[in-house]
């Protein structure tokens, strides 16, 4: 049995905040205060951490990864194309659905992975009912606006694959559990920041415009020989080449980027050396964030950095999968409500000396601007 990977990032036990039932600061337990302090330190220094004792059953996470692998490796190409992402002028909503190898783009370069994206379902009002603000966006059929179409799921009955029976039911159960976990984490963040209103993030994510991806990574081709001036050695778990992390076309499984939402909770298979995090103290150094059994790898997104006026870091990261196996991962993005106004909190601005580093933005508008540039034609 291979040795258990040693953590390269802080490890946070989130159990004191589960189930997420926010309460007054005066009734917080010692365990909650300790957890919140550790979480605050991790978010402020690295923006990345391992989350343990999260209450998601191992049997469920195992099934989630198994279904992802079965879909990418065993589902016929025609069945994948049946749920392909399409732009609004082609009957899709521009975001939901299957993306072929090389369709995703980061920093103007194609990524070497395939994926499926699901978002918070858009409610559709009944006939004669105007519905709520969210429901007014929903439609019963195309053409759809960007992000406002239905989720697309593998056709379990027509693929002939026993391996994906129950796919949708399993993934929808997972979404429900991850929403609860995300709520617990953002509550703990509010406590860790010492906010007078420690539930501010809980309210702003009550109707989280969540995103879930299943991603399949084939091995990258061998890298070119190192240049004579390249560093000949590096510390264990670190890589010092490619300072920007952008790489050349086709040289990265997923190019260097920050996540543009609130909080990302990553479930991945045991493949080491793939996910790399840019060192906050050495921008040219990339740290391997290898999976640890029973833990999620969690990182801060741009919206949380904005809310905290930069106290919490949205850290650049990338995927460089050079092992021989086919890697799968399922990141869950716990996001603000679509209409949430995200702007620096006054207490965080004061903690930064009074200088406001960001303006305000409606999350949905921010998301739309990002998604439109995510895909190659």
């Amino acid at each position: 049995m291979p040795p258990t990977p040693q953590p390269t990032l802080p490890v946070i036990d989130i159990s004191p905040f589960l189930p997420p039932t926010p309460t007054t600061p005066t009734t917080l337990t010692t365990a909650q205060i300790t957890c919140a302090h550790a979480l605050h330190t991790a978010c402020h220094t690295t923006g990345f951490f391992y989350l343990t004792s999260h209450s998601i059953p191992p049997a469920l996470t195992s099934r989630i990864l198994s279904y992802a692998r079965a879909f990418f490796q065993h589902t016929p190409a025609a069945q994948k194309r049946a749920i392909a992402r399409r732009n609004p002028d082609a009957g899709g909503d521009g975001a939901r659905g299957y993306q072929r190898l090389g369709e995703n783009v980061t920093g103007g370069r194609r990524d070497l992975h395939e994926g499926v994206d699901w978002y918070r379902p858009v409610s559709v009002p009944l006939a004669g009912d105007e519905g709520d603000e969210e429901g007014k966006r929903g439609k019963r059929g195309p053409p759809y606006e960007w992000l406002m179409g239905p989720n697309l799921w593998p056709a379990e009955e027509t693929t002939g694959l026993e391996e994906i029976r129950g796919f949708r039911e399993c993934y929808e159960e997972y979404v429900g559990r991850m929403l609860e976990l995300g709520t617990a984490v953002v509550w703990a963040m509010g406590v860790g920041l010492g906010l007078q209103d420690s539930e501010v993030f809980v309210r702003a994510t009550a109707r989280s415009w969540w995103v879930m991806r299943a991603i399949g990574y084939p091995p990258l081709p061998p890298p070119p020989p190192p240049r004579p001036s390249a560093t000949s050695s590096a510390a264990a778990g670190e890589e010092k080449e490619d300072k920007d992390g952008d790489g050349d076309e086709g040289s990265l499984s997923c190019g260097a980027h920050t996540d543009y939402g609130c909080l990302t909770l990553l479930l991945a298979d045991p493949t080491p050396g793939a996910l790399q995090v840019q060192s906050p103290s050495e921008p040219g150094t990339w740290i391997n964030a290898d999976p640890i059994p029973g833990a999620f790898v969690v990182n801060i997104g741009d919206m949380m950095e904005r809310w905290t006026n930069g106290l919490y870091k949205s850290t650049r990261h990338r995927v460089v999968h050079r092992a021989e196996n086919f890697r799968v991962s399922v990141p869950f993005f716990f996001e603000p409500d679509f209409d949430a106004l995200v702007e620096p909190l006054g207490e965080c601005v004061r903690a930064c000396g009074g200088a406001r580093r960001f303006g305000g933005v409606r999350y949905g508008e921010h998301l739309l601007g990002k998604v439109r540039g995510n895909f190659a034609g």
Side-chain angles (χ1 to χ4, degrees):
M1 178 181 296
T4 300
Q6 294 301 304
T8 53
L9 301 168
V11 179
I12 306 297
D13 177 344
I14 195 62
S15 61
F17 284 91
L18 290 169
T21 52
T23 184
T24 61
T26 56
T27 59
L28 290 169
T29 67
T30 300
Q32 287 174 325
I33 295 171
T34 300
C35 171
H37 177 74
L39 180 62
H40 174 77
T41 301
C43 294
H44 180 62
T45 56
T46 65
F48 263 83
F49 52 92
Y50 293 102
L51 196 70
T52 64
S53 302
H54 45 67
S55 83
I56 310 296
L60 178 57
T61 56
S62 178
R63 293 205 312 276
I64 290 293
L65 291 173
S66 294
Y67 278 130
R69 186 173 299 281
F71 175 79
F72 290 121
Q73 294 196 278
H74 301 152
T75 300
Q79 297 295 337
K80 292 180 179 180
R81 289 195 298 270
I83 62 167
R85 182 204 70 87
R86 293 180 174 85
N87 284 337
D89 59 2
D93 76 347
R96 303 173 199 246
Y98 169 74
Q99 301 120 45
R100 67 188 182 278
L101 195 69
E103 185 174 346
N104 281 267
V105 174
T106 303
R109 296 178 174 86
R110 292 177 184 263
D111 297 321
L112 195 65
H113 68 253
E114 54 183 321
V116 188
D117 287 11
W118 300 274
Y119 287 73
R120 175 186 173 90
V122 181
S123 60
V124 178
L126 299 174
D129 178 13
E130 292 186 359
D132 57 17
E133 284 302 312
E134 181 178 312
K136 290 176 184 177
R137 304 187 187 103
K139 293 182 62 179
R140 295 188 178 279
Y144 300 109
E145 296 180 13
W146 277 86
L147 292 173
M148 298 302 158
N151 283 323
L152 305 176
W153 297 93
E156 300 171 24
E157 301 303 320
T158 59
T159 60
L161 285 175
E162 202 60 41
E163 294 168 286
I164 66 167
R165 304 278 184 193
F167 187 111
R168 179 174 180 173
E169 180 182 4
C170 180
Y171 270 61
E172 289 182 333
E173 176 188 351
Y174 186 69
V175 168
R177 290 180 175 270
M178 295 304 287
L179 288 172
E180 180 178 89
L181 179 58
T183 299
V185 176
V186 297
W187 172 32
M189 287 177 174
V191 174
L193 283 162
L195 301 178
Q196 184 174 3
D197 178 7
S198 61
E199 298 177 32
V200 61
F201 302 136
V202 175
R203 289 195 303 277
T205 56
R207 302 181 73 176
S208 171
W209 195 266
W210 58 264
V211 187
M212 177 174 59
R213 302 197 73 205
I215 311 175
Y217 297 94
L220 287 168
R227 298 171 184 172
S229 59
T231 302
S232 59
S233 63
E238 298 182 354
E239 182 175 318
K240 290 185 176 289
E241 61 184 61
D242 186 12
K243 184 174 182 178
D244 295 334
D246 295 330
D248 298 320
E249 184 84 39
S251 67
L252 296 175
S253 305
C254 184
H257 64 284
T258 59
D259 291 343
Y260 38 76
C262 181
L263 187 71
T264 304
L265 301 106
L266 176 68
L267 173 67
D269 72 16
T271 305
L275 176 62
Q276 299 179 344
V277 178
Q278 191 170 55
S279 168
S281 57
E282 297 181 62
T285 298
W286 294 87
I287 302 167
N288 289 336
D290 292 341
I292 293 177
F296 289 104
V297 179
V298 182
N299 65 276
I300 302 305
D302 297 342
M303 294 297 94
M304 188 58 74
E305 182 175 55
R306 184 182 296 256
W307 258 325
T308 63
N309 202 44
L311 287 175
Y312 286 0
K313 309 299 183 185
S314 181
T315 305
R316 280 165 61 87
H317 52 285
R318 65 184 186 181
V319 179
V320 185
H321 174 48
R322 297 200 185 279
E324 296 180 358
N325 65 306
F326 188 94
R327 178 180 184 262
V328 295
S329 71
V330 181
F332 185 86
F333 302 88
F334 185 75
E335 311 294 48
D337 300 356
F338 193 85
D339 293 317
L341 175 62
V342 182
E343 59 184 348
L345 298 173
E347 289 163 279
C348 294
V349 173
R350 289 190 289 275
C352 294
R356 181 171 163 140
R357 295 182 53 199
F358 302 95
V361 65
R362 293 287 176 187
Y363 177 64
E365 297 173 4
H366 174 79
L367 177 64
L368 283 165
K370 294 291 186 177
V371 168
R372 286 193 172 103
N374 275 358
F375 307 103

